[in-house]
């Protein structure tokens, strides 16, 4: 029998992207789509691409379900769970940042939902804190070095699509401004740095510094990052580390060929490429910020928690072009 | 048991797009990918998004299979079939324009593969001529009126993404030129006009004129068309015609809301919207030129010919953003 | 001595574009930039590209000047002139649509500011109604035929950049939505149709019908239009008509080569191309909606009204790429 | 009397951009446009935006002129000068990289043409090596620190538009590939690094390391860079250094506000912004790669060499939107 699912904050980008994924997932059925601000509206009126795919009406009355996804603005997941108690046996996956740094909340202990590091803990878990988008792209680029204690001071630049800024209309998501444009924001102070360092340092077993410069790109979907670091390792050693680390991972590919963003857009995949010159290594990584960086990874986590095949419902046709 | 498939011209855009679709299709298995020019090359080296999805090596030795897709430049399908005889029981689907206007070829009689008009003939068919991309978008916009003999003189403007021009490097697909640009081409002389009129006139039972102005757009995927015509019908009557005509069609939606291109990008769907002012009606339609306009429709035709569910393997996640 | 200029509504797109043009115009000096909503703000804080070029502070106190440009939302020009009386000898150029259809207002009689039809009346004029952007592109495409009484029923599709929608944040100017997208709006009901027909019919001396389908394009600047019409004229005759009509016009070029949008972006030029098949003619035209379609044409009109060289300050470097 | 100018390699992007600038320059007249491959072709047939602006025909016969611009592929400037001897009194400005690292060539001693460091030597010079595009953007971002000997190890990421790759059709400038895409190239090995370090080290008087990761962006014009470095200086001290260093420079602005690429597109300007967190400083810079990064800077150098106002012919209207 199919498991029942509720999406809290279904009217936003990550919520609607979950609908696009779960509408065709073989083991679940959508029970309700929760939205306070758009209650009473048909989801396909907000997102016409969902016409015929999902014609549910948004509601502000949550129901008892097997699985709940929280797609709320940061800090509102805690409030929602407090106001809408959820049974202990319900799987809760939070796409916000409320439980990423500190997972204890009432009876629940949220597991950090990066499957490439916590796969065993995620299997059967009831509470999962889904990572941030930049946090996913940068951690996947650095984890194999961290596992060997090889990380030191990292300089990362990352560029993100406009969907990373959500659906609210802002000056920096106005088409006239953003088209053909590039700009920096939250230089050295992006909120994902703490999240990244907490994980990397746990692996690396010694201090790691991350100097992260995020840029806004003139595309809608995707994150591309390049991380630069000094190292004494040879390129072949590093590549081997990465190949070994990701050997069993269905969604991470370490490439010897040039990677680019569109290789992963509309997929749950991450591609990584490593280059080296002198004693400096550069690791590039690319993901779709709404999929491996948010809703796709949430489904991957759900699959693990429910002991389904990890890639169920995630064999997505890439946009490619 | 899964049916075996060969793709002829697998190195091109429509060929590679078929791989993306068939790699996850439950009833088929890819037996060989044929390319003369790239024989010996791994397909994922040409299209890195296919890494881990399909690692087959292109070959110039076709095999005996149940289903063959021809993804060749126009006029080369006939040559290929002549030089590489195919068993009568093999399903042949041609994505070129060799058999669209005249379907007889040796023992084969190609059915025009627009499922919305020829569904019954396509079920069990062995030879299918897949329609052109603009031809699909414009016919779907006009068929319900044609069926009632209501078409007269139509003025259509359509805009297409750069993938419509294929993978060869051309001045008009150079990023520097095409970005932020619009231009017209093949004004009133596009090769799809004959294909469109042959079908529409058969339905309309009287003369139809199509003045078609194609434009190049600064996006990679998709076709958007607006067709203008005089009519005495009321808007509600026209909408009802369309709703009735497409009532059972899984991939065509007639919308009362504004349609836009991204509602259908990376899907096999077509969305249609009708507007009227005075005695003038305008019908808008949008498709993904590589899917409903090419490889997606080819899979839809395969499903029909094999008597599988029409939408098997075609529940694609829209790009949406 | 330089003439003094005030810009009313200097904080909007057309107002700021005037600043970009007038900052380097040899015969004028900017006296004040008026804005009610942004009074007290430095213009270069709103438009950082103006840093060092124009560091004036917006004011809500108009001054006595030689030339006033009104860059207000439609219908607010009349209100502003009523509340802020302007001396009779001041040249007033309205970029809104308040005086395009009906030019009488108090002591003033606004001349329709399309120099290609009203050049003589514009020389020395004191009140000028600057045409709309689509109105400019479509009239320039059709005027030579109208002058010979050859226009009948015209079917026009036009596509416009996002700047045409102004600086307010809207769902249809959100980058995430508009990028790679196309959509229709105001089908057959665009407000410029009346403006266009009023001029064309005056020339054509008989009825003209204009079926106009406007599209939103995924670029920031520019308008491209294609107008289709039946005619008995030969292509060469039509081209000659156009060459003759625009022979003395510095900003309109009739091209035998394919035209595209980027040929005119960031210039005050209009390029026109004519194609014919059977008895159907198609005329393509392209302009920059903010320049020849708004602020550039306003400067051209100012030059004429002040008896300066028509192209003073308008020898703009095209973006080209 | 106007000075005569010849452009060698006028058919390329930087050559044609020079035409766009010089066509309206008050002190020069174009005498000939040299191209071996396109000799006999009208320049406006290659670049239709030049119609009416410049209708000259490309020639392979150079003439005696006052000023020559070399816009040739790298390493061909030396060959051309050898095969086509130029009088000593002719000003030669090379836009290639033949004389940037080593300026001696026959009787000539090429001055490195970055006006912000070599202004005095450029005034009256007869031989100028115009800097590279990334080299300009990165040097302008780092020079004020270098002048104080404060540079140490710098980590720079830069993104460039497609015009940086020139007009040849390449897989990475195909619209279908590049649209919405980002990728890295020449990681840590870009040819401009030596050019940058030669200048910076001369200023800094001690070793400087530059780890430079270039990216391809999905826009046609512009370069945006972010350079990260450790420092003990306070943000205010650094900003003051920059303000002082560029106080007299007409084309460089140090901004306290966020900078973005479109602030400088279609201008000869460079905008710089400085941010600091902890002991890490990040300097952002943006230029138009074809103007301040190539042809605009070449005109600036010509103005200096001829003792004209530095900004003559360079008061360009920004694209802004």
């Amino acid at each position: 029998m199919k498991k029942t699912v509720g999406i809290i904050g279904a009217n936003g980008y990550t919520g609607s992207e979950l609908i696009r994924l779960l509408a065709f997932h073989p083991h679940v059925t959508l029970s309700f789509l929760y939205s306070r601000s758009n209650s009473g509206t048909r989801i396909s009126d907000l997102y016409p691409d969902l016409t015929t795919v999902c014609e549910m009406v948004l509601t502000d009355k949550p129901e008892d379900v097997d699985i709940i996804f929280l797609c709320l603005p940061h800090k509102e997941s805690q409030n929602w769970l407090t106001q809408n108690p959820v049974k202990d046996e319900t799987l809760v996956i939070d796409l916000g940042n409320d439980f990423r740094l500190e997972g204890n909340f009432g009876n629940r202990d949220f597991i950090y939902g990066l499957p490439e590091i916590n796969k065993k803990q995620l299997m059967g878990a009831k509470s999962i804190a889904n990572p941030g988008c930049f946090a996913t792209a940068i951690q996947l680029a650095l984890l194999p070095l961290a596992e060997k204690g090889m990380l030191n001071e990292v300089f990362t630049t990352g560029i993100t699509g406009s969907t990373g800024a959500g659906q609210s209309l802002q000056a920096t998501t106005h088409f006239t401004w953003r088209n053909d444009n590039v700009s920096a924001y939250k230089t050295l102070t992006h909120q994902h740095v703490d999240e990244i360092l907490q994980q990397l340092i746990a692996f690396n077993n010694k201090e790691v510094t991350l100097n992260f410069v995020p840029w806004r790109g003139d595309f809608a979907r995707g994150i591309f990052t390049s991380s630069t670091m000094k190292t004494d390792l040879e390129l072949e050693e590093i590549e081997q580390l990465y190949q070994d680390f990701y050997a069993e991972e269905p969604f991470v590919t370490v490439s010897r060929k040039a990677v680019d963003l569109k290789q992963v857009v509309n997929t749950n995949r991450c591609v990584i490429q490593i280059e080296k010159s002198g004693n400096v290594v550069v690791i590039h990584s690319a993901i779709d910020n709404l999929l491996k960086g948010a809703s796709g990874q949430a489904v991957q986590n759900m699959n693990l928690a429910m002991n389904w095949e990890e890639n169920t419902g995630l064999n997505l046709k890439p946009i490619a072009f």
Side-chain angles (χ1 to χ4, degrees), chain A:
Chain A
M1 213 183 76
K2 290 191 175 189
K3 297 296 179 185
T4 54
V5 169
I7 300 176
I8 316 302
N11 56 319
Y13 281 175
T14 57
S16 75
E17 197 75 350
L18 271 174
I19 299 171
R20 287 181 195 98
L21 295 171
L22 298 179
F24 301 124
H25 194 288
H27 303 328
V28 305
T29 186
L30 287 169
S31 291
F32 70 93
L33 305 178
Y34 177 98
S35 163
R36 229 169 1 200
S37 53
N38 289 100
S39 173
T41 303
R42 190 176 297 271
I43 188 68
S44 61
D45 284 338
L46 294 181
Y47 298 100
D49 68 282
L50 290 173
T51 304
T52 74
V53 173
C54 179
E55 297 281 3
M56 293 171 74
V57 173
L58 293 161
T59 175
D60 56 2
K61 305 270 181 298
E63 301 166 21
D64 231 31
V65 286
D66 301 312
I67 304 163
I68 276 191
F69 292 93
L70 298 169
C71 303
L72 297 169
H74 297 312
K75 296 305 157 214
E76 294 195 15
S77 297
Q78 295 193 4
N79 295 340
W80 195 89
L81 286 175
T82 303
Q83 290 161 24
N84 301 274
V86 167
K87 286 188 188 160
D88 284 357
E89 60 267 33
T90 298
L91 168 60
V92 174
I93 300 179
D94 179 34
L95 281 79
N97 69 2
D98 288 28
F99 310 112
R100 292 178 193 158
L101 291 176
E102 171 49 56
N104 283 307
F105 183 74
N107 289 341
R108 292 185 172 266
D109 192 7
F110 283 81
I111 310 293
Y112 187 70
L114 193 63
E116 289 76 11
I117 57 178
N118 284 336
K119 191 161 298 184
K120 281 185 186 147
Q121 300 92 309
L122 290 165
M123 296 171 79
K126 286 296 173 200
S127 308
I128 299 175
N130 215 54
C133 51
F134 267 130
T136 296
I138 295 173
Q139 284 178 82
L140 292 178
L142 300 177
L143 275 168
L145 286 168
E147 197 204 23
K148 300 293 179 190
M150 300 285 190
L151 282 187
N152 44 72
E153 177 151 33
V154 184
F155 295 83
T156 299
T157 303
I159 192 165
T160 183
S162 60
T163 51
Q167 65 183 154
S168 71
L169 306 179
Q170 305 168 37
T172 52
T173 54
H174 197 208
F175 183 86
T176 297
W177 185 86
R178 189 152 186 153
N179 186 43
D180 295 324
N181 212 351
V182 176
S183 58
Y185 72 107
K186 298 183 182 172
T187 301
L188 302 174
T189 61
H190 194 281
Q191 68 274 13
H192 288 175
V193 171
D194 287 346
E195 177 185 342
I196 296 167
L197 288 180
Q198 175 164 313
Q199 303 297 326
L200 290 181
I201 290 169
F203 267 73
N204 202 55
N205 274 320
K206 62 173 191 256
E207 198 51 39
V208 178
T209 311
L210 176 63
N211 303 286
F212 176 39
V213 180
W215 287 355
R216 295 180 191 96
D218 61 329
F219 45 88
R221 276 178 181 265
I223 280 177
F224 188 93
T225 76
S226 293
S227 295
T228 304
M229 196 190 78
K230 290 194 198 161
T231 183
D232 294 330
L233 295 169
E234 296 299 319
L235 177 58
E236 291 68 24
E237 293 177 87
I238 303 172
E239 285 185 331
Q240 196 57 52
L241 279 183
Y242 278 69
Q243 294 289 5
D244 293 348
F245 192 92
Y246 292 120
E248 305 298 320
E249 295 303 332
F251 293 115
V252 184
T253 309
V254 183
S255 177
R256 292 215 129 189
K257 296 168 282 186
V259 297
D260 63 76
L261 189 51
K262 286 213 287 196
Q263 293 176 10
V264 297
V265 169
N266 213 39
T267 79
N268 196 48
R269 294 176 55 200
C270 175
V271 291
I272 292 173
Q273 181 196 5
I274 306 160
E275 300 190 87
K276 190 155 180 274
S277 173
N279 68 338
V280 179
V281 64
V282 178
I283 304 124
H284 313 290
S285 69
I287 62 168
D288 185 312
N289 58 306
L290 289 177
L291 291 169
K292 184 62 178 168
S295 306
Q297 188 149 264
V299 171
Q300 184 182 0
N301 282 323
M302 173 188 76
N303 289 340
L304 289 170
M306 304 303 286
N307 294 307
W308 299 327
E309 284 286 322
E310 192 171 353
N311 63 354
T312 310
L314 292 173
N315 285 329
L316 304 171
K317 197 192 87 58
I319 191 76
F321 309 120

